[in-house]
Every structure is written in structure tokens, then in C-alpha cells.
Amino acid sequence: MYRYYLFDFDYTLVNSESGILGCFQRTLEHIGHDPVPDDAVRRTIGMPMPAAVGQVLQETDPQRISAFIDIYREFANTYMTPGTFFYPETLPMLRSLQAAGARAAVISSKTSHRIAEKFAVDNVSGLVEFIIGCNEVTELKPAPEGIQLAMQRFNAAPEEVLYIGDSIIDAGAAQNAQVAFAGVTTGATSEAELAAWPHIAILKDLSAIPTL
């Protein structure tokens, strides 16, 4: 086993499609924009929010993107956490890691308070030691900053760390941080796309993580 397990959040620990799609479509309606196909939004889950909004709206103006995000966050305050669900394998896996003496944290491009809210609502905050979200770093994934910050907090060497995620953004972050990567196909990225990056495993779900 590795000593330290770092996890992406959306599409890795949780299925947040309902929350994210609902907030996007409500925001689009609020600004008078035509609806966009859900698949177009799904493909952006896990991306930094400005990049995701720019891709969905085909927009490059930073002020318009920022204005969209401000409205989106208001809807997220109501709808995001109720529309976010831990995968069936997530909590048993985290408990198994904890029982084995491994340590876990979350590294995500989502805001840390939103992630913490989900853990708190489900009364499982003790299963991860800390959360590093978009507000704790200056460069988002695939930059290695979030993983490196977690390694500093744990005082962990790269060879002791496994980063787990569902996208090539996650794979790139692990590569840039020079830590091992395990991909899960619970998101919108295929096994073949994940396998094109350095990895120790590509898994259908999180159930095998405690054996890595």
C-alpha cells in the first residue's frame, strides 16, 4: 500500500452530475441563454470553473465568464450538495484505508467549502484529513500545486503518494507532481484516454484502491 492517498472529488469520490447540470441549466435560463446539451456540460466536469464555463458558452470574455460564475454559485448554494452523491464504493474504501493506517485527502478544482459541506452533511468528515480546493492554490490542475501542497502538509515523499482521479487533467497533475496515478472510469473520460498517461492502474471504480 501507499501511505498517502489523494483524491479528486467530482466523478471520482462522488457523482455530482445532478447538481452541476442543474446549476448550469438554471444559470443559463437566468441569463436568457438557450439551454445547452447536458453532454456538453458533462465533458467539463472536473475542469477549472472559468474554463468549463468558457467551453460550455463558447465564451472568451473574462467578465462575462465571471458574471456567469457569480450567478451559478448562488444556485449552487441551494442545489449543489443535495445533487451530489458518494459512489457506493467511496465510503467503504475510505474506511478501509483509514483502518489500514493510510492517510487520505482531497485535491480538487472545486471550492473546498463545497466539498467539506458534502462530507459534513453525510457525517463522514473524519474520513479525510484535509481538502485542498481552488481557493487554496494559485494554479489549478493539471498544475501540481495542489498535490505538492498536500505532500508538504503530510511531509510525504513522492514515492509514498498515490493520486486518484477520473480525467486526463488529474493524470497530468499527478505526472507534473511526479507521483503515481490511478484512474477511475466513473467520469466522462474513457479507459483508453486515461491509459495514455502514466499510471499504475485504470479501475472501473474505487473498490480496488485499498489494494494499491
Short mmCIF file of all heavy atoms in Angstrom, two decimals, residues 6-17 20 45-47 80-81 83-87 90-91 93-94 105-122 124 128 130-134 141 163-167 170 184 186-187 206:
data_model
loop_
_atom_site.label_atom_id
_atom_site.label_comp_id
_atom_site.label_asym_id
_atom_site.label_seq_id
_atom_site.Cartn_x
_atom_site.Cartn_y
_atom_site.Cartn_z
N LEU A 6 -4.43 10.61 -2.28
CA LEU A 6 -5.02 11.90 -2.61
C LEU A 6 -6.06 11.70 -3.70
O LEU A 6 -5.79 11.02 -4.69
CB LEU A 6 -3.93 12.87 -3.08
CG LEU A 6 -2.70 13.01 -2.18
CD1 LEU A 6 -1.71 14.00 -2.80
CD2 LEU A 6 -3.09 13.44 -0.78
N PHE A 7 -7.22 12.30 -3.51
CA PHE A 7 -8.35 12.04 -4.40
C PHE A 7 -8.86 13.31 -5.05
O PHE A 7 -9.00 14.35 -4.38
CB PHE A 7 -9.51 11.41 -3.63
CG PHE A 7 -9.23 10.05 -3.09
CD1 PHE A 7 -8.69 9.89 -1.82
CD2 PHE A 7 -9.50 8.91 -3.84
CE1 PHE A 7 -8.42 8.63 -1.31
CE2 PHE A 7 -9.24 7.65 -3.34
CZ PHE A 7 -8.69 7.50 -2.07
N ASP A 8 -9.18 13.23 -6.33
CA ASP A 8 -10.06 14.19 -6.96
C ASP A 8 -11.44 14.02 -6.33
O ASP A 8 -11.71 13.03 -5.63
CB ASP A 8 -10.08 13.93 -8.47
CG ASP A 8 -11.06 14.82 -9.20
OD1 ASP A 8 -11.02 16.05 -8.98
OD2 ASP A 8 -11.87 14.29 -9.97
N PHE A 9 -12.36 14.94 -6.60
CA PHE A 9 -13.69 14.87 -5.98
C PHE A 9 -14.77 14.50 -6.99
O PHE A 9 -15.25 13.37 -7.01
CB PHE A 9 -14.01 16.20 -5.30
CG PHE A 9 -15.28 16.17 -4.49
CD1 PHE A 9 -15.39 15.38 -3.35
CD2 PHE A 9 -16.38 16.95 -4.85
CE1 PHE A 9 -16.56 15.34 -2.59
CE2 PHE A 9 -17.54 16.94 -4.10
CZ PHE A 9 -17.64 16.13 -2.97
N ASP A 10 -15.14 15.44 -7.87
CA ASP A 10 -16.23 15.19 -8.83
C ASP A 10 -15.87 14.05 -9.77
O ASP A 10 -14.78 14.02 -10.36
CB ASP A 10 -16.50 16.44 -9.66
CG ASP A 10 -17.07 17.58 -8.83
OD1 ASP A 10 -17.97 17.32 -8.01
OD2 ASP A 10 -16.60 18.72 -8.97
N TYR A 11 -16.80 13.10 -9.90
CA TYR A 11 -16.66 11.92 -10.77
C TYR A 11 -15.60 10.93 -10.27
O TYR A 11 -15.34 9.93 -10.92
CB TYR A 11 -16.33 12.32 -12.21
CG TYR A 11 -17.52 12.56 -13.10
CD1 TYR A 11 -17.37 13.34 -14.26
CD2 TYR A 11 -18.78 12.04 -12.83
CE1 TYR A 11 -18.45 13.57 -15.12
CE2 TYR A 11 -19.85 12.27 -13.67
CZ TYR A 11 -19.69 13.04 -14.82
OH TYR A 11 -20.74 13.27 -15.66
N THR A 12 -14.99 11.22 -9.11
CA THR A 12 -14.03 10.27 -8.52
C THR A 12 -14.60 9.74 -7.21
O THR A 12 -14.88 8.56 -7.09
CB THR A 12 -12.66 10.94 -8.30
OG1 THR A 12 -12.13 11.35 -9.56
CG2 THR A 12 -11.69 9.96 -7.64
N LEU A 13 -14.80 10.62 -6.23
CA LEU A 13 -15.45 10.21 -4.98
C LEU A 13 -16.96 10.31 -5.06
O LEU A 13 -17.67 9.58 -4.37
CB LEU A 13 -14.95 11.09 -3.83
CG LEU A 13 -13.47 10.98 -3.45
CD1 LEU A 13 -13.13 12.00 -2.36
CD2 LEU A 13 -13.13 9.57 -3.00
N VAL A 14 -17.45 11.23 -5.88
CA VAL A 14 -18.89 11.50 -5.94
C VAL A 14 -19.38 11.59 -7.38
O VAL A 14 -18.62 11.91 -8.29
CB VAL A 14 -19.25 12.82 -5.22
CG1 VAL A 14 -18.88 12.78 -3.75
CG2 VAL A 14 -18.61 14.03 -5.92
N ASN A 15 -20.68 11.34 -7.54
CA ASN A 15 -21.37 11.68 -8.77
C ASN A 15 -22.14 12.96 -8.50
O ASN A 15 -23.12 12.97 -7.76
CB ASN A 15 -22.32 10.56 -9.19
CG ASN A 15 -22.95 10.82 -10.55
OD1 ASN A 15 -23.03 11.97 -10.99
ND2 ASN A 15 -23.39 9.77 -11.22
N SER A 16 -21.65 14.04 -9.07
CA SER A 16 -22.24 15.36 -8.85
C SER A 16 -22.97 15.87 -10.08
O SER A 16 -23.29 17.06 -10.17
CB SER A 16 -21.14 16.36 -8.45
OG SER A 16 -20.05 16.27 -9.33
N GLU A 17 -23.25 14.97 -11.02
CA GLU A 17 -23.90 15.38 -12.26
C GLU A 17 -25.19 16.15 -12.02
O GLU A 17 -25.41 17.20 -12.62
CB GLU A 17 -24.24 14.14 -13.11
CG GLU A 17 -23.20 13.78 -14.13
CD GLU A 17 -23.73 12.77 -15.13
OE1 GLU A 17 -24.96 12.58 -15.21
OE2 GLU A 17 -22.91 12.18 -15.83
N ILE A 20 -24.43 19.69 -10.74
CA ILE A 20 -23.73 20.54 -11.71
C ILE A 20 -24.62 20.86 -12.91
O ILE A 20 -24.73 22.03 -13.33
CB ILE A 20 -22.42 19.89 -12.15
CG1 ILE A 20 -21.44 19.86 -10.97
CG2 ILE A 20 -21.80 20.63 -13.34
CD1 ILE A 20 -20.18 19.06 -11.22
N ILE A 45 -16.92 18.63 -16.47
CA ILE A 45 -16.87 18.37 -15.03
C ILE A 45 -15.44 17.98 -14.63
O ILE A 45 -14.84 17.10 -15.22
CB ILE A 45 -17.87 17.27 -14.64
CG1 ILE A 45 -19.30 17.78 -14.84
CG2 ILE A 45 -17.67 16.82 -13.19
CD1 ILE A 45 -20.39 16.76 -14.56
N GLY A 46 -14.93 18.68 -13.64
CA GLY A 46 -13.55 18.49 -13.20
C GLY A 46 -12.60 19.55 -13.73
O GLY A 46 -11.48 19.68 -13.23
N MET A 47 -13.03 20.31 -14.74
CA MET A 47 -12.21 21.41 -15.24
C MET A 47 -12.30 22.60 -14.29
O MET A 47 -13.29 22.74 -13.56
CB MET A 47 -12.70 21.85 -16.64
CG MET A 47 -12.50 20.82 -17.73
SD MET A 47 -13.31 21.31 -19.29
CE MET A 47 -12.45 22.85 -19.67
N MET A 80 -26.34 22.33 -5.16
CA MET A 80 -25.18 21.51 -5.46
C MET A 80 -25.05 20.30 -4.52
O MET A 80 -24.98 19.15 -4.97
CB MET A 80 -23.89 22.33 -5.41
CG MET A 80 -22.66 21.55 -5.83
SD MET A 80 -22.74 20.95 -7.54
CE MET A 80 -22.63 22.50 -8.43
N THR A 81 -25.00 20.54 -3.22
CA THR A 81 -24.79 19.42 -2.30
C THR A 81 -25.95 18.42 -2.32
O THR A 81 -25.70 17.21 -2.34
CB THR A 81 -24.49 19.93 -0.89
OG1 THR A 81 -23.26 20.68 -0.93
CG2 THR A 81 -24.34 18.80 0.11
N GLY A 83 -27.57 17.58 -4.79
CA GLY A 83 -27.44 16.86 -6.06
C GLY A 83 -26.12 16.13 -6.21
O GLY A 83 -25.74 15.77 -7.32
N THR A 84 -25.40 15.93 -5.10
CA THR A 84 -24.10 15.27 -5.11
C THR A 84 -24.16 14.02 -4.24
O THR A 84 -24.61 14.09 -3.09
CB THR A 84 -23.00 16.21 -4.58
OG1 THR A 84 -22.94 17.36 -5.44
CG2 THR A 84 -21.64 15.52 -4.56
N PHE A 85 -23.69 12.89 -4.78
CA PHE A 85 -23.84 11.60 -4.09
C PHE A 85 -22.53 10.83 -4.11
O PHE A 85 -21.90 10.69 -5.16
CB PHE A 85 -24.94 10.76 -4.77
CG PHE A 85 -26.23 11.50 -4.93
CD1 PHE A 85 -26.51 12.19 -6.11
CD2 PHE A 85 -27.15 11.56 -3.90
CE1 PHE A 85 -27.70 12.89 -6.26
CE2 PHE A 85 -28.34 12.26 -4.03
CZ PHE A 85 -28.62 12.93 -5.22
N PHE A 86 -22.11 10.34 -2.94
CA PHE A 86 -20.94 9.46 -2.90
C PHE A 86 -21.23 8.20 -3.70
O PHE A 86 -22.33 7.63 -3.60
CB PHE A 86 -20.60 9.07 -1.47
CG PHE A 86 -19.94 10.17 -0.67
CD1 PHE A 86 -20.58 10.76 0.40
CD2 PHE A 86 -18.66 10.60 -1.00
CE1 PHE A 86 -19.97 11.76 1.14
CE2 PHE A 86 -18.04 11.60 -0.27
CZ PHE A 86 -18.69 12.19 0.81
N TYR A 87 -20.26 7.76 -4.49
CA TYR A 87 -20.39 6.46 -5.14
C TYR A 87 -20.48 5.37 -4.07
O TYR A 87 -19.95 5.52 -2.96
CB TYR A 87 -19.19 6.18 -6.05
CG TYR A 87 -19.18 7.00 -7.32
CD1 TYR A 87 -18.18 7.95 -7.55
CD2 TYR A 87 -20.16 6.83 -8.29
CE1 TYR A 87 -18.16 8.69 -8.72
CE2 TYR A 87 -20.15 7.58 -9.47
CZ TYR A 87 -19.15 8.50 -9.67
OH TYR A 87 -19.15 9.24 -10.83
N THR A 90 -17.21 4.51 -2.35
CA THR A 90 -16.36 5.57 -1.78
C THR A 90 -16.16 5.44 -0.28
O THR A 90 -15.01 5.38 0.20
CB THR A 90 -16.94 6.95 -2.11
OG1 THR A 90 -16.94 7.15 -3.52
CG2 THR A 90 -16.12 8.05 -1.44
N LEU A 91 -17.23 5.42 0.48
CA LEU A 91 -17.07 5.44 1.94
C LEU A 91 -16.45 4.15 2.47
O LEU A 91 -15.55 4.21 3.33
CB LEU A 91 -18.41 5.75 2.61
CG LEU A 91 -19.02 7.10 2.22
CD1 LEU A 91 -20.31 7.35 2.99
CD2 LEU A 91 -18.03 8.25 2.43
N MET A 93 -14.30 2.32 0.92
CA MET A 93 -12.91 2.42 0.54
C MET A 93 -12.13 3.33 1.48
O MET A 93 -11.05 2.98 1.96
CB MET A 93 -12.81 2.92 -0.91
CG MET A 93 -11.42 3.17 -1.43
SD MET A 93 -10.78 4.85 -1.06
CE MET A 93 -11.99 5.90 -1.87
N LEU A 94 -12.68 4.50 1.78
CA LEU A 94 -12.01 5.43 2.69
C LEU A 94 -11.88 4.83 4.09
O LEU A 94 -10.85 5.01 4.75
CB LEU A 94 -12.77 6.75 2.74
CG LEU A 94 -12.70 7.62 1.48
CD1 LEU A 94 -13.63 8.82 1.61
CD2 LEU A 94 -11.28 8.08 1.19
N ALA A 105 -6.62 12.59 1.62
CA ALA A 105 -7.01 13.98 1.46
C ALA A 105 -7.63 14.15 0.08
O ALA A 105 -7.53 13.27 -0.78
CB ALA A 105 -5.80 14.90 1.62
N VAL A 106 -8.28 15.29 -0.12
CA VAL A 106 -8.94 15.60 -1.39
C VAL A 106 -8.24 16.78 -2.04
O VAL A 106 -7.97 17.80 -1.39
CB VAL A 106 -10.43 15.93 -1.19
CG1 VAL A 106 -11.08 16.32 -2.52
CG2 VAL A 106 -11.16 14.75 -0.56
N ILE A 107 -7.92 16.65 -3.34
CA ILE A 107 -7.33 17.73 -4.13
C ILE A 107 -8.24 17.95 -5.33
O ILE A 107 -8.35 17.09 -6.20
CB ILE A 107 -5.91 17.38 -4.64
CG1 ILE A 107 -5.08 16.72 -3.55
CG2 ILE A 107 -5.23 18.62 -5.21
CD1 ILE A 107 -4.81 17.57 -2.35
N SER A 108 -8.89 19.10 -5.40
CA SER A 108 -9.94 19.31 -6.40
C SER A 108 -9.90 20.73 -6.93
O SER A 108 -9.37 21.64 -6.27
CB SER A 108 -11.31 19.03 -5.77
OG SER A 108 -12.36 19.38 -6.63
N SER A 109 -10.49 20.92 -8.10
CA SER A 109 -10.68 22.27 -8.64
C SER A 109 -11.98 22.89 -8.16
O SER A 109 -12.28 24.03 -8.52
CB SER A 109 -10.64 22.23 -10.18
OG SER A 109 -9.37 21.83 -10.63
N LYS A 110 -12.76 22.17 -7.37
CA LYS A 110 -13.97 22.70 -6.75
C LYS A 110 -13.56 23.49 -5.50
O LYS A 110 -12.45 23.36 -4.99
CB LYS A 110 -14.87 21.53 -6.35
CG LYS A 110 -16.36 21.79 -6.33
CD LYS A 110 -17.10 20.54 -5.86
CE LYS A 110 -18.60 20.66 -6.10
NZ LYS A 110 -18.97 20.25 -7.45
N THR A 111 -14.47 24.32 -5.00
CA THR A 111 -14.16 25.03 -3.76
C THR A 111 -14.14 24.05 -2.59
O THR A 111 -14.98 23.15 -2.50
CB THR A 111 -15.21 26.12 -3.47
OG1 THR A 111 -16.51 25.55 -3.44
CG2 THR A 111 -15.16 27.21 -4.54
N SER A 112 -13.19 24.24 -1.69
CA SER A 112 -13.04 23.30 -0.58
C SER A 112 -14.25 23.33 0.35
O SER A 112 -14.64 22.31 0.90
CB SER A 112 -11.76 23.59 0.20
OG SER A 112 -11.74 24.94 0.64
N HIS A 113 -14.88 24.50 0.50
CA HIS A 113 -16.03 24.55 1.41
C HIS A 113 -17.21 23.75 0.87
O HIS A 113 -17.96 23.16 1.64
CB HIS A 113 -16.45 26.00 1.70
CG HIS A 113 -17.33 26.62 0.66
ND1 HIS A 113 -16.84 27.27 -0.47
CD2 HIS A 113 -18.68 26.69 0.56
CE1 HIS A 113 -17.85 27.71 -1.19
NE2 HIS A 113 -18.97 27.38 -0.61
N ARG A 114 -17.35 23.69 -0.45
CA ARG A 114 -18.44 22.89 -1.03
C ARG A 114 -18.18 21.41 -0.82
O ARG A 114 -19.10 20.63 -0.52
CB ARG A 114 -18.57 23.21 -2.52
CG ARG A 114 -19.82 22.62 -3.17
CD ARG A 114 -21.07 23.37 -2.76
NE ARG A 114 -21.06 24.74 -3.26
CZ ARG A 114 -21.82 25.71 -2.78
NH1 ARG A 114 -22.65 25.47 -1.77
NH2 ARG A 114 -21.76 26.93 -3.27
N ILE A 115 -16.94 20.99 -0.98
CA ILE A 115 -16.59 19.59 -0.74
C ILE A 115 -16.78 19.24 0.72
O ILE A 115 -17.36 18.21 1.07
CB ILE A 115 -15.13 19.33 -1.18
CG1 ILE A 115 -14.99 19.60 -2.69
CG2 ILE A 115 -14.72 17.89 -0.85
CD1 ILE A 115 -13.55 19.62 -3.16
N ALA A 116 -16.29 20.12 1.60
CA ALA A 116 -16.43 19.89 3.04
C ALA A 116 -17.90 19.80 3.44
O ALA A 116 -18.26 19.02 4.34
CB ALA A 116 -15.74 21.00 3.81
N GLU A 117 -18.74 20.58 2.77
CA GLU A 117 -20.17 20.55 3.07
C GLU A 117 -20.75 19.16 2.81
O GLU A 117 -21.55 18.65 3.61
CB GLU A 117 -20.89 21.59 2.21
CG GLU A 117 -22.38 21.72 2.45
CD GLU A 117 -22.98 22.81 1.59
OE1 GLU A 117 -23.03 22.64 0.34
OE2 GLU A 117 -23.38 23.84 2.14
N LYS A 118 -20.33 18.53 1.72
CA LYS A 118 -20.84 17.20 1.40
C LYS A 118 -20.40 16.19 2.45
O LYS A 118 -21.21 15.37 2.93
CB LYS A 118 -20.36 16.76 0.01
CG LYS A 118 -20.73 15.33 -0.37
CD LYS A 118 -22.25 15.11 -0.33
CE LYS A 118 -22.61 13.66 -0.64
NZ LYS A 118 -24.04 13.40 -0.40
N PHE A 119 -19.13 16.22 2.83
CA PHE A 119 -18.65 15.31 3.87
C PHE A 119 -19.39 15.55 5.19
O PHE A 119 -19.74 14.60 5.90
CB PHE A 119 -17.14 15.47 4.07
CG PHE A 119 -16.31 14.69 3.10
CD1 PHE A 119 -15.93 15.25 1.89
CD2 PHE A 119 -15.91 13.40 3.39
CE1 PHE A 119 -15.15 14.53 0.99
CE2 PHE A 119 -15.13 12.66 2.49
CZ PHE A 119 -14.75 13.23 1.28
N ALA A 120 -19.65 16.82 5.51
CA ALA A 120 -20.32 17.14 6.77
C ALA A 120 -21.78 16.69 6.76
O ALA A 120 -22.27 16.13 7.75
CB ALA A 120 -20.23 18.64 7.04
N VAL A 121 -22.48 16.93 5.65
CA VAL A 121 -23.89 16.54 5.56
C VAL A 121 -24.05 15.03 5.74
O VAL A 121 -25.01 14.57 6.36
CB VAL A 121 -24.47 17.00 4.20
CG1 VAL A 121 -25.78 16.30 3.89
CG2 VAL A 121 -24.67 18.51 4.20
N ASP A 122 -23.09 14.27 5.23
CA ASP A 122 -23.15 12.81 5.35
C ASP A 122 -22.46 12.30 6.62
O ASP A 122 -22.34 11.08 6.82
CB ASP A 122 -22.53 12.15 4.12
CG ASP A 122 -23.44 12.23 2.91
OD1 ASP A 122 -23.99 13.31 2.65
OD2 ASP A 122 -23.60 11.22 2.21
N VAL A 124 -19.32 12.27 7.58
CA VAL A 124 -18.13 11.45 7.33
C VAL A 124 -16.88 12.33 7.17
O VAL A 124 -15.91 11.92 6.53
CB VAL A 124 -18.31 10.55 6.09
CG1 VAL A 124 -19.34 9.46 6.36
CG2 VAL A 124 -18.70 11.38 4.85
N VAL A 128 -11.33 11.99 5.68
CA VAL A 128 -10.21 12.65 5.01
C VAL A 128 -9.63 13.68 5.96
O VAL A 128 -10.34 14.28 6.76
CB VAL A 128 -10.63 13.32 3.67
CG1 VAL A 128 -11.08 12.27 2.67
CG2 VAL A 128 -11.71 14.36 3.89
N PHE A 130 -7.82 16.54 5.15
CA PHE A 130 -8.00 17.92 4.73
C PHE A 130 -8.43 17.93 3.27
O PHE A 130 -8.38 16.90 2.58
CB PHE A 130 -6.73 18.76 4.93
CG PHE A 130 -5.50 18.21 4.28
CD1 PHE A 130 -5.23 18.41 2.93
CD2 PHE A 130 -4.56 17.49 5.03
CE1 PHE A 130 -4.09 17.90 2.34
CE2 PHE A 130 -3.42 16.98 4.44
CZ PHE A 130 -3.19 17.19 3.10
N ILE A 131 -8.86 19.11 2.83
CA ILE A 131 -9.32 19.32 1.46
C ILE A 131 -8.59 20.53 0.90
O ILE A 131 -8.55 21.59 1.53
CB ILE A 131 -10.84 19.56 1.41
CG1 ILE A 131 -11.60 18.35 1.96
CG2 ILE A 131 -11.30 19.91 0.00
CD1 ILE A 131 -13.03 18.65 2.36
N ILE A 132 -8.01 20.37 -0.27
CA ILE A 132 -7.39 21.48 -0.99
C ILE A 132 -8.21 21.72 -2.24
O ILE A 132 -8.27 20.87 -3.13
CB ILE A 132 -5.92 21.17 -1.33
CG1 ILE A 132 -5.10 21.04 -0.05
CG2 ILE A 132 -5.34 22.27 -2.23
CD1 ILE A 132 -3.67 20.59 -0.27
N GLY A 133 -8.87 22.88 -2.29
CA GLY A 133 -9.70 23.23 -3.43
C GLY A 133 -9.11 24.38 -4.21
O GLY A 133 -7.94 24.75 -4.04
N CYS A 134 -9.95 24.98 -5.06
CA CYS A 134 -9.45 26.02 -5.96
C CYS A 134 -9.00 27.27 -5.23
O CYS A 134 -8.16 28.02 -5.75
CB CYS A 134 -10.52 26.36 -7.00
SG CYS A 134 -12.07 26.97 -6.32
N LYS A 141 -5.16 22.33 -11.32
CA LYS A 141 -4.75 21.16 -12.11
C LYS A 141 -4.95 21.44 -13.60
O LYS A 141 -5.93 22.09 -13.95
CB LYS A 141 -5.58 19.94 -11.70
CG LYS A 141 -5.40 19.51 -10.26
CD LYS A 141 -6.25 18.29 -9.90
CE LYS A 141 -7.72 18.55 -9.99
NZ LYS A 141 -8.55 17.40 -9.60
N TYR A 163 -2.18 9.46 -6.39
CA TYR A 163 -3.27 10.38 -6.71
C TYR A 163 -4.29 9.64 -7.57
O TYR A 163 -3.92 8.98 -8.55
CB TYR A 163 -2.76 11.63 -7.44
CG TYR A 163 -3.85 12.65 -7.65
CD1 TYR A 163 -4.51 13.22 -6.56
CD2 TYR A 163 -4.26 13.04 -8.92
CE1 TYR A 163 -5.53 14.14 -6.74
CE2 TYR A 163 -5.27 13.97 -9.11
CZ TYR A 163 -5.90 14.52 -8.01
OH TYR A 163 -6.92 15.43 -8.18
N ILE A 164 -5.56 9.77 -7.22
CA ILE A 164 -6.63 9.05 -7.90
C ILE A 164 -7.60 10.05 -8.50
O ILE A 164 -8.08 10.95 -7.83
CB ILE A 164 -7.39 8.12 -6.91
CG1 ILE A 164 -6.43 7.12 -6.26
CG2 ILE A 164 -8.52 7.39 -7.63
CD1 ILE A 164 -5.95 7.54 -4.88
N GLY A 165 -7.89 9.88 -9.79
CA GLY A 165 -8.82 10.79 -10.46
C GLY A 165 -9.44 10.16 -11.68
O GLY A 165 -9.07 9.05 -12.09
N ASP A 166 -10.37 10.89 -12.29
CA ASP A 166 -11.16 10.34 -13.39
C ASP A 166 -10.84 10.96 -14.74
O ASP A 166 -11.46 10.58 -15.75
CB ASP A 166 -12.65 10.56 -13.11
CG ASP A 166 -13.02 12.04 -13.16
OD1 ASP A 166 -12.78 12.74 -12.16
OD2 ASP A 166 -13.50 12.50 -14.21
N SER A 167 -9.92 11.93 -14.79
CA SER A 167 -9.73 12.66 -16.04
C SER A 167 -8.26 12.79 -16.40
O SER A 167 -7.37 12.57 -15.56
CB SER A 167 -10.33 14.07 -15.92
OG SER A 167 -9.52 14.88 -15.07
N ASP A 170 -6.44 15.14 -14.16
CA ASP A 170 -5.90 14.51 -12.96
C ASP A 170 -4.61 13.76 -13.27
O ASP A 170 -3.64 13.82 -12.51
CB ASP A 170 -6.92 13.55 -12.36
CG ASP A 170 -8.19 14.25 -11.94
OD1 ASP A 170 -8.11 15.35 -11.37
OD2 ASP A 170 -9.29 13.70 -12.18
N VAL A 184 -9.88 6.21 -12.57
CA VAL A 184 -11.16 5.52 -12.46
C VAL A 184 -12.07 5.98 -13.60
O VAL A 184 -12.06 7.15 -13.98
CB VAL A 184 -11.85 5.77 -11.09
CG1 VAL A 184 -11.15 5.01 -9.99
CG2 VAL A 184 -11.91 7.26 -10.76
N THR A 186 -15.27 6.29 -13.75
CA THR A 186 -16.59 6.69 -13.29
C THR A 186 -17.00 8.07 -13.81
O THR A 186 -18.09 8.54 -13.52
CB THR A 186 -16.63 6.70 -11.74
OG1 THR A 186 -15.42 7.28 -11.24
CG2 THR A 186 -16.74 5.29 -11.20
N GLY A 187 -16.13 8.70 -14.58
CA GLY A 187 -16.42 10.01 -15.13
C GLY A 187 -16.70 9.97 -16.62
O GLY A 187 -17.16 8.95 -17.16
N LEU A 206 -13.76 2.58 -7.31
CA LEU A 206 -12.79 2.77 -6.24
C LEU A 206 -12.57 1.55 -5.35
O LEU A 206 -11.74 1.59 -4.45
CB LEU A 206 -13.23 3.94 -5.35
CG LEU A 206 -13.23 5.32 -6.00
CD1 LEU A 206 -13.94 6.32 -5.08
CD2 LEU A 206 -11.82 5.79 -6.29
#
